[in-house]
Amino acid sequence: MTRLAAVGVAAIALGGASVPSAGTGPLAVLGTVSSSGYPLAGGGPSGTSVRFIAGGTFWVAVLVRNRSAHPVTLIAARTPEPAQSLVRQTRAGFSTYKPCTGSIACVWPSSPTSTRPLTLPAHGEAAVKLSYQLVSCAAAATGTTASSDALVLAYRLGNGQVRQETGSLGGAHLLLQRPAGEACLARPFSHIGLVGSFTTSPGHLPIPGSDGDTCTRTAAGGLAFESREFMDRSGVEFRIELALARYHGLGGYSRATVTAIGGFGLHSTTTFIDRKGTASIVTAGRRFLAGSFTAVFSGHRRFFRGYGAWRCRFIG
């Protein structure tokens, strides 16, 4: 089933065919929350913070318990987001949850979940995995940070009618942030690679949501460039900074200071500097620059080379 089809099923199940549950329903939303995705910025009892990354995707999962003495079938789940919210729910999946007991690991929805109905035995638990996508920068300009605090569950008792029950999301409530800093600034992408102790390809895209690929002019007439964050093949995050003592437009620069900053060390961020790097500028516009660079980094029992095409937008 495609994603669009899955969303369509949820909309039908929670639409006019459903009837409210009479009194206290059989389902309880528990306080345990799990989540994953680049836009996420931590969480707590009041909710899960979400940084704005245009088109960024993430998921949040909660546990639901069947507190009745009879089997209950989960049909669909949704969080009714405001029309102009910065986020859209794209999918809801279910999986059986088994608590940790002794040496048995918990089953949690880091693995794929199914959009098919799931029957819970009496007092059984299920993980409900809710997937989301943030809107575009254009939509965010008039959007709202409001987000639903309710989880609407469609369920069936035996062969009866589909009913729905509403519970509080608690720590899974989305605390949306507006675009900040360079999040919606039109910027080109640099293509930077490393080879040696740390290796990656210039074809790898930067980490979603990272700031950078910007340039500023210095008070002394130079130029300072900062890339977005990249990741090498071993999972080390890094960025490249480039400093030109004197900026004179198109051409080559033989003594550029190139800095590699990242989690290269065992315990913290490590900085490598090559003060004799080479750089060039091949495109120089009023707002954008493009060029290339090479640098050799050594120290801390490491030796590697940085290279690639750097592109930036002037800021400040």
Side-chain angles (χ1 to χ4, degrees), residues 215-285:
C215 286
T216 55
R217 292 185 175 89
T218 67
L223 184 75
F225 161 78
E226 181 181 88
S227 78
R228 306 185 203 215
E229 285 191 324
F230 293 85
M231 184 176 293
D232 84 340
R233 293 177 181 175
S234 64
V236 171
E237 296 183 8
F238 71 94
R239 71 168 71 242
I240 295 293
E241 295 180 355
L242 176 68
L244 306 178
R246 295 289 179 181
Y247 171 59
H248 55 70
L250 298 176
Y253 296 79
S254 59
R255 295 183 67 86
T257 299
V258 185
T259 304
I261 306 172
F264 301 114
L266 294 177
H267 304 292
S268 61
T269 300
T270 306
T271 300
F272 294 85
I273 301 176
D274 180 3
R275 302 186 187 280
K276 297 181 180 180
T278 61
S280 68
I281 297 177
V282 297
T283 302

Side-chain angles (χ1 to χ4, degrees), residues 27-29 78-80 148-153 165-170:
L27 300 173
V29 181
R78 69 183 178 95
T79 56
S148 176
D149 191 30
L151 174 62
V152 182
L153 297 166
E165 182 175 348
T166 301
S168 173
L169 284 170

Side-chain angles (χ1 to χ4, degrees), residues 203-222:
H204 290 174
L205 292 176
I207 296 172
S210 61
D211 293 335
D213 285 333
T214 53
C215 286
T216 55
R217 292 185 175 89
T218 67

Side-chain angles (χ1 to χ4, degrees), residues 6-229:
V7 174
V9 169
I12 293 172
L14 293 173
S18 300
V19 296
S21 59
T24 302
L27 300 173
V29 181
L30 307 183
T32 306
V33 176
S34 181
S35 59
S36 181
Y38 278 118
L40 300 180
S46 62
T48 300
S49 295
V50 182
R51 296 180 301 131
F52 183 84
I53 299 176
T57 59
F58 62 96
W59 58 262
V60 177
V62 297
L63 292 183
V64 172
R65 176 180 295 156
N66 173 14
R67 56 190 171 188
S68 75
H70 306 282
V72 172
T73 300
L74 289 172
I75 305 296
R78 69 183 178 95
T79 56
E81 306 300 332
Q84 299 299 317
S85 178
L86 299 181
V87 75
R88 302 285 183 266
Q89 184 188 338
T90 58
R91 184 182 185 274
F94 307 119
S95 64
T96 301
Y97 176 77
K98 294 181 180 180
C100 306
T101 55
S103 60
I104 300 177
C106 303
V107 178
W108 193 246
S110 55
S111 58
T113 53
S114 174
T115 58
R116 295 179 179 178
L118 176 68
T119 298
L120 287 177
H123 309 298
E125 296 178 2
V128 179
K129 185 176 180 181
L130 306 163
S131 299
Y132 297 92
Q133 183 171 29
L134 289 156
V135 301
S136 65
C137 282
T142 57
T144 173
T145 58
S147 179
S148 176
D149 191 30
L151 174 62
V152 182
L153 297 166
Y155 68 95
R156 178 185 289 115
L157 291 172
N159 295 320
Q161 288 182 293
V162 175
R163 296 174 176 270
Q164 67 181 43
E165 182 175 348
T166 301
S168 173
L169 284 170
H173 171 54
L174 304 180
L175 305 176
L176 303 176
Q177 301 176 13
R178 288 196 173 278
E182 302 158 16
C184 285
L185 184 68
R187 291 172 290 158
F189 282 93
S190 296
H191 296 275
I192 293 173
L194 304 178
V195 62
S197 299
F198 308 98
T199 301
T200 188
S201 166
H204 290 174
L205 292 176
I207 296 172
S210 61
D211 293 335
D213 285 333
T214 53
C215 286
T216 55
R217 292 185 175 89
T218 67
L223 184 75
F225 161 78
E226 181 181 88
S227 78
R228 306 185 203 215
E229 285 191 324

